[in-house]
Amino acid sequence: MTRSNVIAAAGAYVSEGKFLSDLQERLSIPSESPREDSGPDHLRYLNEQMRPLLEGMGFSCQILPNPKLERIPALYAERIEDPALPTVLTYGHGDVLWGMEGDWKEGRSPWDATLVGDRIYGRGSVDNKGQHTINLAALEIVLKERGSLGFNVKVLIEMGEETGSPGLAEMAETHSDLFKSDVLIASDGPRVSTHVPTVFLGARGGHGFHLICDLREGAHHSGNWGGLLPNAGIRLAHALATITDAKGRIAIREWTPGKIPENVHAALKKIELEFGPEDPETDPTWGEPDLVGPEQVYGWCNFEVLAYTCGRPEAPVNAIPGTAKATCQLRYVVGVDRERILPALREHLDAHGFQDIRIEPMARGFFRATRTDPDNAWTRLAVGSITETTGREPALQPNFGGSLPNEVFAETLNLPTIWIPHSHPSCSQHAPDEHVMVSVAKEATEIMAGLFWDIGEGKLQQ
């Protein structure tokens, strides 16, 4: 029983084609969670793909009903070898966004795992079926080599992440004793670059809202009323212009953390972002002055106007619009008080004379900012294990740039959260031609097998 045997078996799982065949079975189930009739496909994925695999590894399994949206259940599984041993909770989501069939290049189907060179195309190949397939395969490889894991494992596979994980927080609250663990180790999102293994410890928060200027019903002829009636579109544009300067720097103090913690700053200084030939050109003068790429994306906050409507954009007429609406979002990090985001905005608008601008919270689009301490013992173990497996120190992201339901694990369950992504920046997730790179998948399976081996060896040091 050796670590090197486990690493070799993990690499062979991908290079000899088993990963591709497993992925084909899982991608063939069109588990699109935004689709209203997707319930049977979600159950197929959990009962036909996850349950047999986990039960074959000695896990007990049960389907957890969703208290908020019935068609989006979850599967919970556990293998308890000894209550005195550490317990790892791992997570994945088996749902996907729309397949967008017909929009994929070369006639590829989103529901097939299509191998082309170093890429495997298919909806869910990275988000997230491919990623939790890698993690479960790594667990199975360690189990076969050692005969036991050497630690306890609990598995949660939900089917609603792509629709905002409705019901997940309620499940965690209801089943907190069931989910009780020492750490979350899971995979989602991309690495910072294709060839740099990555560990991230949380996620930025997301807070969505609408700004509405509603001055009057209907529109009035601009020739007869121009100069007499305020224009809702102009009022709203000027209100938005007070929130940031012309280069996107946020003007509302409570919408920023004030400063980046030293250990977070030190980790970000080591990260280099990767951009592909099809990616847009970035502007180093955009955002908070004196912060560079990784610091802007992972260490700071950004305000975005996602949509703006005024009048009839599809058929403009010579009339002064009475209403205008902007759909907005704040991405924020730990250090920003979520409960003060909208009150601080209200105070800011009022102070600038925009009492006529109404704030309307979005029904969805809320994620809390979370971040595990970079000096946590589980972080040190993960970084050390990945370095031993790959010969390279991984990039350590204090938090992911996007949003995940990490608050469920970090706050509701009060766990340190370790995310090890198996995708790459140009993977086209959520778009046609989503793909996983075979070379990344091979290294990722080796990384996870090595980490699970090291946990079972008792290498965690507080």
Side-chain angles (χ1 to χ4, degrees), residues 52-383:
L53 170 64
L54 290 163
E55 288 180 343
M57 295 164 59
F59 284 78
S60 60
C61 300
Q62 61 176 297
I63 298 294
L64 300 180
N66 191 309
K68 294 191 74 174
L69 196 56
E70 184 179 355
R71 64 182 173 82
I72 298 179
L75 180 140
Y76 171 79
E78 65 177 23
R79 177 187 166 96
I80 307 300
E81 294 187 354
D82 184 341
L85 293 172
T87 299
V88 172
L89 173 65
T90 191
Y91 159 89
H93 65 90
D95 68 310
V96 296
L97 274 182
W98 300 106
M100 302 179 185
E101 197 160 6
D103 294 336
W104 294 55
K105 294 178 182 176
E106 300 178 15
R108 287 188 285 264
S109 168
W111 313 122
D112 288 329
T114 305
L115 176 62
V116 181
D118 191 42
R119 297 180 174 188
I120 301 174
Y121 291 89
R123 177 62 80 230
S125 55
V126 291
D127 193 15
N128 175 260
K129 294 177 180 179
Q131 300 215 37
H132 63 256
T133 290
I134 286 170
N135 292 355
L136 296 178
L139 281 171
E140 187 175 31
I141 288 165
V142 170
L143 184 57
K144 287 181 178 178
E145 176 69 15
R146 184 182 275 138
S148 65
L149 292 172
F151 57 98
N152 307 313
V153 178
K154 297 179 178 181
V155 178
L156 177 64
I157 305 293
E158 69 152 321
M159 301 302 294
E161 195 271 350
E162 299 294 6
T163 53
S165 297
L168 185 62
E170 289 80 2
M171 287 186 203
E173 291 171 357
T174 301
H175 302 288
S176 58
D177 289 341
L178 199 64
F179 294 159
K180 186 177 180 181
S181 304
D182 295 297
V183 66
L184 172 84
I185 298 178
S187 301
D188 205 342
R191 297 173 164 198
V192 297
S193 66
T194 304
H195 303 293
V196 179
T198 300
V199 176
F200 67 84
L201 306 177
R204 286 204 294 179
H207 204 97
F209 55 91
H210 306 289
L211 290 181
I212 301 169
C213 184
D214 190 0
L215 300 180
R216 69 189 72 86
E217 290 187 10
H220 293 74
H221 194 285
S222 58
N224 298 332
W225 293 93
L228 299 176
L229 294 180
N231 186 303
I234 293 174
R235 287 292 293 167
L236 182 55
H238 279 272
L240 288 167
T242 70
I243 296 175
T244 76
D245 66 13
K247 284 293 187 177
R249 183 183 189 182
I250 294 173
I252 302 174
R253 181 186 59 82
E254 291 182 76
W255 280 15
T256 77
K259 66 176 183 178
I260 302 175
E262 286 301 319
N263 59 351
V264 173
H265 210 189
L268 294 176
K269 285 289 187 183
K270 297 180 180 180
I271 295 175
E272 292 186 16
L273 299 179
E274 174 185 275
F275 301 105
E278 298 180 359
D279 291 331
E281 184 177 352
T282 62
D283 182 349
T285 67
W286 186 262
E288 184 71 11
D290 303 322
L291 297 184
V292 297
E295 298 163 331
Q296 294 277 16
V297 179
Y298 309 130
W300 208 249
C301 310
N302 61 281
F303 169 71
E304 305 295 345
V305 177
L306 306 179
Y308 190 106
T309 55
C310 171
R312 299 178 63 192
E314 73 284 1
V317 295
N318 295 322
I320 302 168
T323 62
K325 178 179 179 179
T327 299
C328 307
Q329 180 188 68
L330 178 70
R331 294 278 188 175
Y332 66 99
V333 295
V334 170
V336 173
D337 182 352
R338 178 181 181 273
E339 303 305 322
R340 284 287 301 160
I341 290 174
L342 295 189
L345 175 60
R346 180 72 273 160
E347 294 163 11
H348 173 86
L349 292 174
D350 289 350
H352 285 79
F354 291 104
Q355 291 86 355
D356 54 340
I357 304 300
R358 186 170 83 249
I359 304 169
E360 182 179 283
M362 291 175 62
R364 292 183 179 178
F366 298 95
F367 298 92
R368 291 185 181 272
T370 55
R371 182 193 295 144
T372 292
D373 188 335
D375 298 324
N376 180 274
W378 285 99
T379 305
R380 294 195 300 270
L381 173 61
V383 169

